[in-house]
Amino acid sequence: MGQPFALQLRDLERHVRDTLGGLVTESAWQQTAFGPESHFRNKAKLVVGGTRDEPTFGILDGDQQGVDLRRCGLYEPGLHDALQTLTEQVARIGLVPYDVPRRTGELKHLVVTHAPTGALMVRFVLRSPGQLGRIRRALPDLQAALPQITVVSVNLQPAHKAVLEGEEEIVLTEHETLTVPVAGVSLNLRPDSFFQTNTAVAEQLYEQAGDWVAASGARSLWDLFCGVGGFGLSVGARVPLQVTGVEVAPGAVAAARQSAADLMARNPLSSFDFRVGDAATTLRDEPLPEVVLVNPPRRGIGPLAETLEASGVPQVVYSSCNVESLARDLTRMPTYAVADARVFDMFPQTRHHEVLVRLVRE
């Protein structure tokens, strides 16, 4: 932060390219994709601090006291504007913020997701269900103040540890998913769903993957670590494919299936089969596809690298949020060459990034 944006982008490119070293030739790199340098984030994860009469919404400082970040320059304009009204309404509910040093209070986090349509999903993270009734009673006032609120849920996180969410989710509204249009499809996000926090750059990421798959002429695709199905659905909306997606989170798979049903009802170009399971083992006995697309967490694909190396799959598209783990995985797949590579500035003002590479078996 504080450096000209163009210089930030050059530094990011240099960091990614230097880390991948001899694994990617200079000719394989495409122009870095980027979006706005501020007001780009579609999700606010706000730690609640302060007192019941004067709550703060933002982060905790080194002394575990609340620092208010409601006017942070990261949030999309629609989210930024909504947060001011929403947090005023939440303060009126009278929930006691969780005090980390004393281990008292109830409201730990307020998580708000904003769709390009302006619709909102609001998630209260509580220590216990004791204040659930208070939030239920406040719903009419919340939705009167912000009619764009589509989904409201309560997550119960009783443990005293630095974890955002617990296992139990209680949806309080008629709608359980937030619809997010991106790259030609409408994704259905549940309160616990992962989605890229920069919608503008995520759209470019999905479109680039789609371009590479379409150019390959493939008719079958495995979408591994598929989450809510963004990659597989956006590619399958453009070219006829048999898409098989695998994700360990049942809620994400349910959301992907719902999005696939919606897409096929209006555009039955491709077929989709989303499954709950381990990406490394679930499809072990299935016929191999022409392209495998992987979008793993920061640790990378692990033993799946050796599986792909031995598989005979002709092409792999790898989306990585950690260039160090990407480099380790690429060294475990020596019979693949990087034909194309592109950096995506998913997190402006930081060194964090997304890198997409297309691997072709030599």
Side-chain angles (χ1 to χ4, degrees):
M1 294 178 66
Q3 297 184 48
F5 189 49
L7 180 59
Q8 290 188 35
L9 288 176
R10 287 199 297 271
D11 287 345
L12 177 63
E13 289 174 349
R14 187 179 304 113
H15 167 64
V16 171
R17 294 189 185 195
D18 288 350
T19 303
L20 290 176
L23 295 167
V24 183
T25 63
E26 191 64 29
S27 61
W29 288 106
Q30 299 186 15
Q31 183 177 8
T32 294
F34 62 92
E37 61 184 286
S38 66
H39 298 93
F40 59 83
R41 188 175 173 88
N42 57 36
K43 192 171 191 176
K45 298 179 180 179
L46 303 170
V47 180
V48 185
T51 65
R52 178 168 59 185
D53 295 331
E54 295 185 2
T56 61
F57 298 87
I59 60 173
L60 300 182
D61 65 15
D63 297 322
Q64 303 297 302
Q65 301 302 306
V67 178
D68 201 273
L69 292 178
R70 278 177 275 191
R71 300 188 182 280
C72 176
L74 289 179
Y75 308 132
E76 291 178 346
L79 176 58
H80 181 277
D81 295 343
L83 281 178
Q84 316 314 313
T85 301
L86 175 63
T87 51
E88 289 172 3
Q89 291 295 319
V90 171
R92 292 193 182 108
I93 297 175
L95 300 169
V96 178
Y98 184 68
D99 188 310
V100 173
R102 294 182 176 85
R103 303 191 181 193
T104 60
E106 282 295 324
L107 181 58
K108 292 186 170 184
H109 301 94
L110 184 69
V111 184
V112 189
T113 306
H114 178 254
T117 59
L120 296 169
M121 179 162 59
V122 180
R123 190 186 201 195
F124 294 83
V125 181
L126 300 180
R127 184 177 67 158
S128 74
Q131 299 300 308
L132 190 56
R134 191 185 288 262
I135 297 175
R136 286 187 190 276
R137 292 190 293 273
L139 269 184
D141 291 337
L142 277 178
Q143 293 182 304
L146 287 168
Q148 63 266 47
I149 292 178
T150 302
V151 183
V152 177
S153 73
V154 169
N155 179 270
L156 300 180
Q157 207 291 78
H160 179 76
K161 56 184 178 180
V163 176
L164 176 66
E165 62 189 28
E167 295 181 0
E168 185 174 359
E169 193 82 33
I170 304 165
V171 178
L172 304 181
T173 47
E174 177 185 357
H175 296 286
E176 296 186 354
T177 61
L178 178 72
T179 302
V180 176
V182 59
V185 298
S186 293
L187 302 180
N188 291 283
L189 305 186
R190 295 173 182 264
D192 60 351
S193 294
F194 168 79
F195 177 64
Q196 298 284 4
T197 56
N198 188 328
T199 307
V201 178
E203 187 156 50
Q204 296 179 71
L205 180 69
Y206 292 159
E207 288 175 348
Q208 181 64 79
D211 287 345
W212 289 347
V213 175
S216 75
R219 290 296 177 262
S220 57
L221 171 74
W222 285 0
D223 183 4
L224 306 183
F225 309 94
C226 70
V228 295
F231 277 108
L233 289 164
S234 60
V235 176
R238 295 176 51 183
V239 293
L241 283 170
Q242 290 181 325
V243 178
T244 303
V246 177
E247 166 62 43
V248 71
V253 172
R257 289 170 176 167
Q258 180 182 345
S259 301
D262 295 343
L263 175 61
M264 293 178 68
R266 66 178 194 277
N267 178 19
L269 183 65
S270 299
S271 63
F272 301 92
D273 176 12
F274 290 103
R275 309 180 190 181
V276 178
D278 181 348
T281 60
T282 298
L283 301 176
R284 180 180 293 160
D285 299 323
E286 301 281 340
L288 291 173
E290 295 167 87
V291 178
V292 170
L293 193 153
V294 294
N295 181 30
R298 289 187 59 80
R299 64 180 179 271
I301 61 176
L304 182 59
E306 283 83 4
T307 302
L308 289 172
E309 172 66 16
S311 69
V313 171
Q315 292 199 38
V316 176
V317 177
Y318 190 139
S319 180
S320 170
C321 62
N322 181 3
V323 69
E324 284 80 12
S325 63
L326 172 61
R328 289 195 300 269
D329 289 339
L330 291 181
T331 60
R332 289 187 242 166
M333 297 187 286
T335 63
Y336 286 99
V338 178
D340 295 288
R342 193 175 187 190
V343 179
F344 293 79
D345 186 36
M346 192 70 71
F347 312 96
Q349 316 297 333
T350 78
R351 272 279 182 90
H352 295 286
H353 52 266
E354 198 81 19
V355 187
L356 194 68
V357 296
R358 181 173 69 92
L359 309 176
V360 177
R361 187 176 293 276
E362 293 184 305

